Amino acid sequence: MLKKIRARLNGILEESAVLRHYFWKYRRWVGVGFAALLMVDALEVVPPLLMMAAVDLALGKPVVISHTHWSPSFSGLAWTYIGVSFLQAIGRYGWRMYLIRAGVLAGRDMRGGFARHLFGLGASFFDRTPIGALMSLSTNDVEAVRNMIGAGFLTMADSLIYFMTVPVAMWMLSPKLTLIAFIPLPFLPWIIRRNEREIHQRFEKVQECFGDLSAMTQESLNGVRVLKAFSKEEVQSRRFKALGERYVRLNLKLAVVQSAFGPTLDFAMSLGMVFLLIVGGRMVISQHGSGGTEAITLGVFVAFQRYIQKMVWPMAAFGVSLGIYERAVSSSERIKKIENERTDVPEAAQTELPRGALPGGPWKAEGRIEFRNLSFRFPRSEREVLRGISLSIEPGERVAFVGTIGSGKSALLSLLPRLYLVSDGMLWIDGVDVNRWPLKELRRQVGYVGQEVFLFSESVMENIAYGLQERSLVPAQRECAVQRASELVHVHGEVSGFVSAYATRVGERGVSVSGGQKQRLTVARAIVQEPPILVLDDALSAVDVQTEARLLEGLRSRPGRNTELIAAHRISTVRDADRIVVLDHGQIVQTGAHQKLISEKDGIYWRFCQQQRFEEELVEYERGLGEGVLV
Amino acid sequence: MSAQAGLEGYFDVDIEEQRKDESHFETRAFLPLIGMIARHRAPLFSGFLMVIVATVATLLEPWLFGRAIDEAMVPGDWPKLQRFALVYFSVVGLRVFSTIGQSYLFELLGQRVTHELRSDLFSRLLRLPTSVYDKTPAGRLLTRVTNDVASLAEMFSAGFVSILSNALLVIGILVCLVVMDRKVGLIAASVFPGLMLLGAYFSSKLRVAYREARSKLSALNAFLAENLLGMKVVQLFNREELHLSRFNRINNWYADAQIGTIRIFALFQPAITIFAGLSAALVIVFGGAATRNGSMKLGVLVTFFSLVLTLFQPVRELADKWNVFLSGMASAERIFSVLSWPVETEAASAEVKPIAGLKGEIVFEDVWFAYEGEHWILRGLSVAIPAGSRIGVVGHTGAGKTTLISLLMRFYEPQRGRILIDGKDIRDYDKHALRASIGIIQQDVFLFSGSLQENVTLWGPPDDRKGDNKNVHEALALVDFDKGELQERGTNLSMGERQVLAFSRALAADPAIWILDEATANMDSQTEGRLGESLARAAHGQTTLLIAHRLATVRSADRILVLHKGTLVEQGDHAQLMAANGLYARLYRFQEAAL
């Protein structure tokens, strides 16, 4: 038994670690709030006594409180009452402002800490974790924890303090009546807990059904064309209605326990009142006669009426706060699980920089890149997406990568800025293993543009100047750099044509821009910070061929340029590269300049060119069609 | 707003929603809602009755206590006290019972009304014309069905009952005070007008504070969601710290907004305490004096103490719940506005039958169509498709292939020209029957969560395996893969399996006209062969349109239509088109060369 208790206590200590951390952090606030609470609850003793005095005074009886005789006046009582109310008002203000605010601040800190942790996790974590789940952690679960730190702790402390003060006063008035009044109370926390659980379970079911309703609505809205094509609108509406009826039933089941909850507590309290009426009434009557039972005045009777009425809430609150506590614990465990995740591309224990380079300084890498028998698989995957890649890229070279979808181009390029982890000794930049580079420094040197374009919901200016924050530039310099970059990628003209030019907001919540424009903006974003190594992973696929050719030509003279790695699906993109690397099933199958590769008849690259030739012919023909030459 | 510099983008997410959330509500939504409520007489009236019983019982309890003091305790009448206790006990029982009853009944009412609204809303959403779906994000419509209906339900279960019963209680207490002792009652109630003003003031303060907190929270969520989505970019540009500090800025704003609501409660609650203290003090002074000089009975004084102190909780509740009521009304307004959008006509019954005896001759007569303005997708397309022929339709993305099908199925109406099936304008057919007569197989099959069978028959009558419906039987036989429950995104089905499913779905519908929209793009040759046989058997002698990007699929068609920018540029069979050496021939050569 003792062992069990000790185990449970240890369990509580362990599960409440997060909560205790924040209590300690905000101990001053919690302390002040607690003191205010203490004052309010201690003063709760007084008003019933004042009413008792008023009643006895009205009856012309002596006012006796713990064997001391008082001779108050009505106005004295009234002023005391007002004074006590005033003090209580101050206390109530205090505990709300201090205790609940501490909860809000703790919630804020938790959210901030959670976000900080997320910002430090590697790409592979985000590949496998749905964003919705993380969002729900940062809102619902954080909210559950902060609710415990604020309201939960408050109600818990409130009821504990209340039961340490008020019963003392009651006992002093009449021990017997106190016992009588307490008869229904011990069952309350038990009833409340059971009810809490029942409500919680039924509520979960309601929530689940609500989720089903939302899912069905979403699914139907997404598939509305299918439903229409098969004339199944009516069928689906009936299914929805049936599910809705189930939802109603579950809600009503919840309503049964929920609507009974408050009144049940109320009933328990009222039972105390009935006992008071009988037992206390008997005691009042016996004060006139000679009855053997303990006698009380009417004033005491009235005071007890008030005390009992006030007792239910703290009792109920205690049960409720236990529920809040349970939820906070399970939420903090869910959060902890994510906080235990570690990034898969951590900083090396001992970082290293190429010779002569100063960390954080304005130096540029030479851009010598070496793949040494590199093989790679994505985390938690069995399949090798790259095998035996050996390749050496000299500073100043432009190397293009060609291959079908799944040939490993993207995986290869994503290793350069260390988005994913590659084993030691396989990838070297300027003679330093990529894993030994300080991560920030590496990413400063490698400008990487991936396939998925992502713009933030900010202005074009902010989006392009994205990488400039480390260089403290005055606004004019910034604008100048942004404009230069956007001229280089041939998007300046189009941006100037937007309604608010560079101030136009883009991204998810901004105006929609075409795929080609988006791609060029992301390239501009990468080159504005003038990285010596530029990696374009199929980053120009939606840009038309002519613009692309001019853009690529322009990039050769971009400031700070050294090495370029470009993956593409179009011959036009790669034709002018210094070297072309053809990948197939994760291996290098051909390397060389365009002229050399095209001479290897029936090679992958040759076939690739063939196809493009037909495509060009087709496009040419279609252009003729479009202009009405052939119609 | 200048404090939000650089982060404005996250703050205007729900401008539309917020505007409608303003304090006043329009009768536009109020009247139809009243109408819907009035239809549920039983829960409505019994709920009302319960509210009244509960209120009366709540008032009776302190009164009985007072009477017990005056008539039993003061005279020392023990039997009478026992009777009082019994009556008191039954009043308590009655109150508890009717309190449970009122909240249950109003919950019932609310659930029924919102269920009706939700079902109605859902079925109307499904009947919205396709063009609405092009313009309105599905997310916004979803919000109407889920969140808005939920907030309306909350209005019933929390707002409505609370407002009603608390208002009644307040009135009841005031009346009792004045009736029991006019002078002292009026004095005690004198604090009430001030209290009401206070309540109204805090209620409006709260509304603003709630809205502030909500807008900060949605900005916080918008910011975080966007950053999680673009985390790679953030990390590649070493911007983690900067973004974190922005996050913390919004996070602080949100905490401030939350503290703002706390402050209001923190002021409101003590204000009520002081008011309560004042009126209790007034009762002590005036009631006490009146009792001592005998003009007021002692029991009345005690009753006054109870009543005066119960006056304040309802006022607090009213101030808080009024906002629930308002936001419920704002939701109601949004729901009714969607309900007023024009929709397609309802099908006569759930089981829509295809048009009987359709031969499947299709004629496009000078059809012009644009989704928007003058941006023509089809420009005077004219083509006649004889009944029972296999027709290939090819062309680039944007050539108008899919639009052709959408028009045929009446998802859109052409601006000019007309489409005839069996010589009759398609507008003269019943829209639902017309759609049911056309079996469409798409490349990207949309899966509904549920069983395979449900996905094939689309919740049609289950196959009884006796083969009453030959097509359903055959369709179900085709999907022989055992996958259990399907999910919306269908990750547990291979591409090939998905296409088999798409085909079975069309087969089960037993159409007169078949449309294969890029349907065999991802099929392995074995499946393709098997489906080909099935299709040949099922669609034998029926009009079949094959829309294809991959020309090999349409090689064997009786006739191939080559579309380019909304016009028909070439037609003929494969050999003829190759010989003509035009667009088709070039497309073909290009695809042959593909890797």
Side-chain angles (χ1 to χ4, degrees):
Chain A
M1 186 62 189
L2 208 68
K3 227 173 165 183
K4 237 173 130 184
I5 291 174
R6 186 175 304 153
R8 179 70 194 122
L9 277 177
N10 279 335
I12 290 175
L13 271 184
E14 202 173 308
E15 69 193 14
S16 63
V18 178
L19 295 171
R20 279 182 294 125
H21 168 79
Y22 286 107
F23 278 129
W24 184 244
K25 181 167 180 189
Y26 290 104
R27 54 186 179 277
R28 283 203 198 139
W29 302 66
V30 173
V32 174
F34 194 75
L37 193 62
L38 209 63
M39 179 174 87
V40 172
D41 282 341
L43 287 173
E44 278 298 326
V45 173
V46 181
L49 293 179
L50 295 175
M51 291 187 177
M52 175 187 89
V55 167
D56 285 344
L57 194 65
L59 286 175
K61 301 227 154 138
V63 178
V64 185
I65 299 175
S66 74
H67 308 295
T68 316
H69 282 263
W70 296 75
S71 41
S73 67
F74 283 123
S75 64
L77 290 175
W79 281 114
T80 315
Y81 204 111
I82 292 173
V84 166
S85 299
F86 200 73
L87 285 177
Q88 278 194 316
I90 293 173
R92 290 210 160 112
Y93 176 80
W95 62 246
R96 270 181 193 273
M97 282 316 283
Y98 283 89
L99 269 182
I100 299 201
R101 181 144 69 152
V104 169
L105 295 179
R108 179 199 65 183
D109 295 348
M110 272 189 93
R111 230 182 338 258
F114 186 63
R116 169 170 297 277
H117 182 73
L118 290 181
F119 274 99
L121 289 175
S124 66
F125 171 80
F126 293 98
D127 289 346
R128 70 182 137 88
T129 317
I131 288 175
L134 297 176
M135 292 300 298
S136 141
L137 281 170
S138 96
T139 50
N140 302 346
D141 290 296
V142 167
E143 205 61 10
V145 177
R146 88 134 180 114
N147 206 16
M148 178 59 211
I149 293 171
F153 174 72
L154 169 74
T155 39
M156 225 176 240
D158 184 27
S159 36
L160 287 179
I161 299 172
Y162 189 88
F163 280 105
M164 282 189 289
T165 54
V166 170
V168 177
M170 289 168 77
W171 188 266
M172 273 152 64
L173 289 178
S174 161
K176 186 177 169 193
L177 260 189
T178 310
L179 289 179
I180 296 287
F182 271 86
I183 288 174
L185 290 186
F187 303 104
L188 278 185
W190 181 75
I191 293 175
I192 292 159
R193 273 306 288 286
R194 267 197 52 150
N195 228 313
E196 256 290 299
R197 287 222 177 113
E198 195 62 38
I199 287 177
H200 189 65
Q201 276 167 16
R202 296 188 186 194
F203 181 70
E204 296 271 283
K205 277 190 193 147
V206 166
Q207 281 301 93
E208 201 184 300
C209 189
F210 183 74
D212 290 346
L213 268 179
S214 309
M216 187 165 179
T217 312
Q218 187 164 23
E219 189 176 284
S220 306
L221 293 176
N222 288 341
V224 72
R225 285 174 179 80
V226 178
L227 293 173
K228 282 176 179 293
F230 286 88
S231 285
K232 294 287 181 183
E233 299 100 314
E234 191 56 36
V235 175
Q236 187 73 335
S237 296
R238 288 187 191 185
R239 290 182 68 227
F240 182 80
K241 202 166 177 181
L243 188 60
E245 267 153 24
R246 189 179 128 75
Y247 182 64
V248 170
R249 273 199 305 279
L250 288 174
N251 259 305
L252 292 179
K253 268 192 173 170
L254 174 66
V256 170
V257 276
Q258 218 164 24
S259 47
F261 187 57
T264 311
L265 296 179
D266 217 345
F267 185 69
M269 175 207 72
S270 304
L271 225 51
M273 288 290 208
V274 176
F275 292 148
L276 175 70
L277 198 55
I278 296 174
V279 181
R282 178 99 212 212
M283 287 160 85
V284 172
I285 291 171
S286 67
Q287 93 184 299
H288 312 295
S290 55
T293 45
E294 186 191 337
I296 55 167
T297 63
L298 251 170
V300 173
F301 179 83
V302 171
F304 263 84
Q305 187 202 359
R306 305 265 17 113
Y307 281 133
I308 293 173
Q309 201 143 50
K310 279 189 180 171
M311 206 134 54
V312 179
W313 163 239
M315 265 294 170
F318 194 72
V320 172
S321 65
L322 286 179
I324 297 179
Y325 175 75
E326 273 174 19
R327 251 163 277 158
V329 164
S330 65
S331 282
S332 68
E333 263 157 24
R334 273 195 290 271
I335 294 172
K336 214 190 292 169
K337 216 167 131 199
I338 295 290
E339 294 200 322
N340 285 339
E341 291 268 355
R342 289 285 164 261
T343 174
D344 56 346
V345 285
E347 195 81 331
Q350 269 198 311
T351 55
E352 190 183 334
L353 276 180
R355 241 173 302 145
L358 286 169
W363 64 283
K364 297 281 177 199
E366 284 181 21
R368 177 175 288 108
I369 298 164
E370 260 183 285
F371 298 93
R372 293 187 191 162
N373 194 21
L374 177 145
S375 38
F376 172 72
R377 59 175 65 138
F378 285 104
R380 302 185 181 199
S381 154
E382 291 296 305
R383 203 168 63 85
E384 284 210 315
V385 286
L386 293 168
R387 273 175 299 162
I389 302 280
S390 287
L391 183 71
S392 170
I393 297 169
E394 294 302 310
E397 240 191 321
R398 172 180 286 177
V399 179
F401 294 82
V402 182
T404 51
I405 294 166
S407 60
K409 303 185 301 273
S410 293
L412 187 71
L413 296 185
S414 68
L415 298 179
L416 283 158
R418 220 194 311 160
L419 278 177
Y420 297 96
L421 182 70
V422 66
S423 310
D424 283 341
M426 287 184 165
L427 174 55
W428 301 73
I429 296 177
D430 280 9
V432 175
D433 190 321
V434 76
N435 289 341
R436 308 269 286 181
W437 273 76
L439 196 58
K440 280 201 171 209
E441 209 58 57
L442 174 71
R443 289 179 175 172
R444 219 170 271 147
Q445 303 299 331
V446 179
Y448 172 90
V449 186
Q451 284 173 22
E452 333 150 19
V453 277
F454 185 86
L455 295 172
F456 290 91
S457 304
E458 291 171 31
S459 67
V460 174
M461 175 65 77
E462 285 305 316
N463 267 292
I464 297 180
Y466 195 71
L468 287 181
Q469 41 103 21
E470 293 186 308
R471 311 215 321 240
S472 36
L473 298 176
V474 295
Q477 282 176 310
R478 246 165 72 100
E479 275 164 36
C480 194
V482 165
Q483 193 180 326
R484 222 174 25 235
S486 49
E487 273 165 1
L488 259 174
V489 300
H490 295 271
V491 80
H492 173 69
E494 285 152 78
V495 171
S496 306
F498 290 166
V499 186
S500 330
Y502 279 92
T504 311
R505 191 178 337 133
V506 290
E508 304 235 323
R509 299 169 194 286
V511 301
S512 59
V513 295
S514 78
Q517 285 168 339
K518 262 192 205 161
Q519 286 190 331
R520 277 172 289 157
L521 289 175
T522 53
V523 175
R525 175 171 69 191
I527 63 172
V528 77
Q529 54 175 356
E530 304 176 0
I533 301 169
L534 181 65
V535 179
L536 302 180
D537 180 11
D538 204 14
L540 296 166
S541 57
V543 180
D544 68 86
V545 179
Q546 285 78 10
T547 314
E548 188 196 26
R550 274 183 283 141
L551 194 159
L552 286 172
E553 192 47 48
L555 283 186
R556 283 197 182 265
S557 59
R558 71 179 175 86
R561 173 189 187 275
N562 263 331
T563 313
E564 280 163 0
L565 285 78
I566 299 174
H569 276 116
R570 289 199 299 225
I571 294 292
S572 56
T573 318
V574 302
R575 189 169 15 218
D576 295 325
D578 302 318
R579 202 148 35 121
I580 298 165
V581 177
V582 183
L583 287 172
D584 192 37
H585 292 99
Q587 286 174 302
I588 297 181
V589 289
Q590 285 178 297
T591 37
H594 177 74
Q595 284 309 323
K596 175 184 169 249
L597 290 182
I598 208 160
S599 65
E600 292 172 12
K601 220 167 176 279
D602 273 336
I604 290 186
Y605 191 77
W606 180 84
R607 279 193 285 154
F608 192 50
C609 290
Q610 278 298 99
Q611 188 199 353
Q612 299 261 313
R613 204 165 53 79
F614 283 119
E615 184 176 359
E616 276 157 35
E617 188 192 308
L618 178 66
V619 169
E620 198 59 28
Y621 183 80
E622 278 180 334
R623 191 166 303 130
L625 271 184
E627 283 155 18
V629 182
L630 288 141
V631 187
Chain B
M1 271 296 171
S2 61
Q4 296 172 359
L7 295 168
E8 298 93 346
Y10 307 99
F11 277 92
D12 53 8
V13 267
D14 275 332
I15 289 177
E16 183 218 27
E17 328 272 287
Q18 279 184 26
R19 215 183 303 124
K20 294 237 169 123
D21 204 22
E22 291 304 334
S23 53
H24 61 281
F25 53 86
E26 290 164 31
T27 43
R28 189 149 59 92
F30 200 59
L31 289 179
L33 195 60
I34 294 285
M36 290 187 81
I37 295 169
R39 251 178 280 147
H40 298 278
R41 290 214 180 83
L44 182 64
F45 288 128
S46 42
F48 261 124
L49 192 69
M50 293 284 190
V51 170
I52 291 167
V53 170
T55 310
V56 170
T58 310
L59 294 171
L60 266 179
E61 280 172 33
W63 182 73
L64 275 173
F65 235 84
R67 287 277 305 273
I69 289 175
D70 286 340
E71 289 168 30
M73 288 186 217
V74 174
D77 188 345
W78 169 237
K80 200 162 187 188
L81 183 65
Q82 285 171 307
R83 282 202 298 280
F84 265 114
L86 195 68
V87 175
Y88 184 81
F89 183 69
S90 14
V91 171
V92 165
L94 196 64
R95 177 173 58 87
V96 168
F97 172 76
S98 54
T99 314
I100 296 175
Q102 71 175 29
S103 47
Y104 183 80
L105 285 167
F106 277 110
E107 176 76 26
L108 181 71
L109 176 70
Q111 287 295 334
R112 287 216 183 135
V113 170
T114 48
H115 172 63
E116 271 176 26
L117 262 180
R118 188 169 41 226
S119 306
D120 200 16
L121 192 59
F122 182 84
S123 98
R124 287 185 78 96
L125 284 183
L126 289 193
R127 287 189 285 124
L128 285 174
T130 326
S131 52
V132 176
Y133 280 94
D134 299 339
K135 286 181 219 126
T136 321
R140 177 152 296 167
L141 297 176
L142 179 68
T143 318
R144 294 293 96 84
V145 180
T146 52
N147 296 3
D148 277 333
V149 175
S151 118
L152 195 59
E154 200 199 338
M155 180 187 95
F156 276 103
S157 58
F160 205 56
V161 184
S162 172
I163 288 176
L164 193 67
S165 58
N166 284 315
L168 263 179
L169 188 58
V170 167
I171 295 169
I173 290 173
L174 292 176
V175 169
C176 277
L177 286 179
V178 176
V179 168
M180 286 170 77
D181 188 305
R182 178 160 310 160
K183 187 179 151 229
V184 181
L186 281 176
I187 290 172
S190 64
V191 297
F192 183 71
L195 192 67
M196 276 311 280
L197 283 178
L198 195 74
Y201 173 71
F202 277 110
S203 178
S204 71
K205 283 283 235 190
L206 261 183
R207 183 162 52 246
V208 176
Y210 278 150
R211 188 162 55 220
E212 178 77 4
R214 219 164 36 230
S215 108
K216 294 291 190 286
L217 178 63
S218 71
L220 187 76
N221 286 340
F223 183 85
L224 186 60
E226 183 172 291
N227 274 270
L228 293 177
L229 211 62
M231 186 57 81
K232 262 186 207 167
V233 178
V234 175
Q235 294 180 340
L236 283 169
F237 286 87
N238 293 328
R239 296 258 300 206
E240 297 96 323
E241 285 303 320
L242 189 76
H243 281 236
L244 201 60
S245 70
R246 287 180 169 197
F247 176 83
N248 283 333
R249 231 158 84 207
I250 307 184
N251 196 10
N252 279 333
W253 290 334
Y254 175 50
D256 289 346
Q258 280 182 305
I259 290 170
T261 60
I262 290 168
R263 181 171 292 123
I264 292 171
F265 276 116
L267 287 170
F268 189 32
Q269 198 70 19
I272 284 186
T273 305
I274 289 175
F275 268 92
L278 266 178
S279 73
L282 288 174
V283 173
I284 289 177
V285 172
F286 293 94
T291 311
R292 192 151 58 177
N293 67 32
S295 67
M296 188 174 171
K297 282 187 177 166
L298 181 71
V300 176
L301 177 68
V302 174
T303 310
F304 262 49
F305 280 140
S306 290
L307 287 179
V308 155
L309 291 178
T310 35
L311 182 61
F312 298 92
Q313 191 54 27
V315 173
R316 197 195 105 87
E317 286 275 307
L318 278 175
D320 195 22
K321 291 297 165 13
W322 182 241
N323 289 315
V324 175
F325 180 73
L326 284 181
S327 90
M329 284 315 294
S331 286
E333 200 181 314
R334 287 194 287 268
I335 294 169
F336 281 106
S337 114
V338 173
L339 283 178
S340 67
W341 291 357
V343 291
E344 296 178 337
T345 52
E346 213 168 338
S349 75
E351 281 308 311
V352 179
K353 292 266 176 287
I355 303 163
L358 205 66
K359 288 204 282 295
E361 184 210 23
I362 304 167
V363 177
F364 283 78
E365 270 183 15
D366 190 34
V367 172
W368 287 75
F369 176 75
Y371 288 99
E372 237 182 333
E374 293 287 301
H375 193 71
W376 297 107
I377 303 295
L378 293 183
R379 306 155 185 265
L381 183 80
S382 291
V383 65
I385 297 165
S389 55
R390 271 170 63 85
I391 301 293
V393 183
V394 301
H396 266 298
T397 320
K401 301 184 303 257
T402 307
T403 306
L404 199 74
I405 305 309
S406 298
L407 292 184
L408 186 63
M409 301 196 75
R410 286 194 64 199
F411 285 153
Y412 304 93
E413 305 290 342
Q415 276 86 354
R416 257 187 275 165
R418 56 183 192 151
I419 304 166
L420 309 161
I421 292 182
D422 286 4
K424 186 168 154 189
D425 194 320
I426 55 171
R427 279 170 289 198
D428 297 335
Y429 288 107
D430 173 57
K431 196 184 259 181
H432 299 281
L434 174 75
R435 287 174 185 166
S437 311
I438 302 174
I440 185 162
I441 306 168
Q442 274 163 318
Q443 178 191 15
D444 187 22
V445 57
F446 188 89
L447 297 177
F448 294 91
S449 39
S451 70
L452 258 178
Q453 177 177 324
E454 283 174 322
N455 264 289
V456 170
T457 62
L458 289 176
W459 318 283
D463 172 44
D464 51 12
R465 294 280 160 195
K466 275 186 274 169
D468 286 354
N469 187 334
K470 209 165 77 304
N471 281 47
V472 174
H473 192 71
E474 196 181 335
L476 286 173
L478 271 175
V479 284
D480 47 6
F481 29 93
D482 178 27
K483 293 287 181 178
E485 291 281 294
L486 301 183
Q487 285 121 37
E488 186 188 341
R489 295 275 151 241
T491 39
N492 46 354
L493 285 191
S494 73
M495 282 312 278
E497 285 169 334
R498 295 170 67 114
Q499 300 214 302
V500 173
L501 178 62
F503 175 75
S504 322
R505 196 183 271 173
L507 181 61
D510 193 12
I513 296 168
W514 290 76
I515 297 171
L516 281 74
D517 190 356
E518 307 274 3
T520 52
N522 295 303
M523 242 178 255
D524 59 70
S525 49
Q526 200 192 344
T527 334
E528 197 174 340
R530 220 174 107 215
L531 285 194
E533 272 171 44
S534 263
L535 178 66
R537 208 167 43 242
H540 181 72
Q542 291 180 325
T543 312
T544 309
L545 297 180
L546 305 156
I547 300 191
H549 194 68
R550 223 168 55 167
L551 302 191
T553 341
V554 297
R555 260 189 84 154
S556 62
D558 299 337
R559 186 145 51 106
I560 299 163
L561 311 175
V562 185
L563 295 186
H564 183 72
K565 293 192 173 165
T567 53
L568 184 65
V569 287
E570 293 166 26
Q571 59 174 317
D573 65 18
H574 177 73
Q576 288 166 341
L577 290 173
M578 286 308 281
N581 196 24
L583 182 58
Y584 180 83
R586 281 175 174 80
L587 263 172
Y588 193 80
R589 278 202 293 274
F590 162 63
Q591 290 191 357
E592 283 290 277
L595 292 173

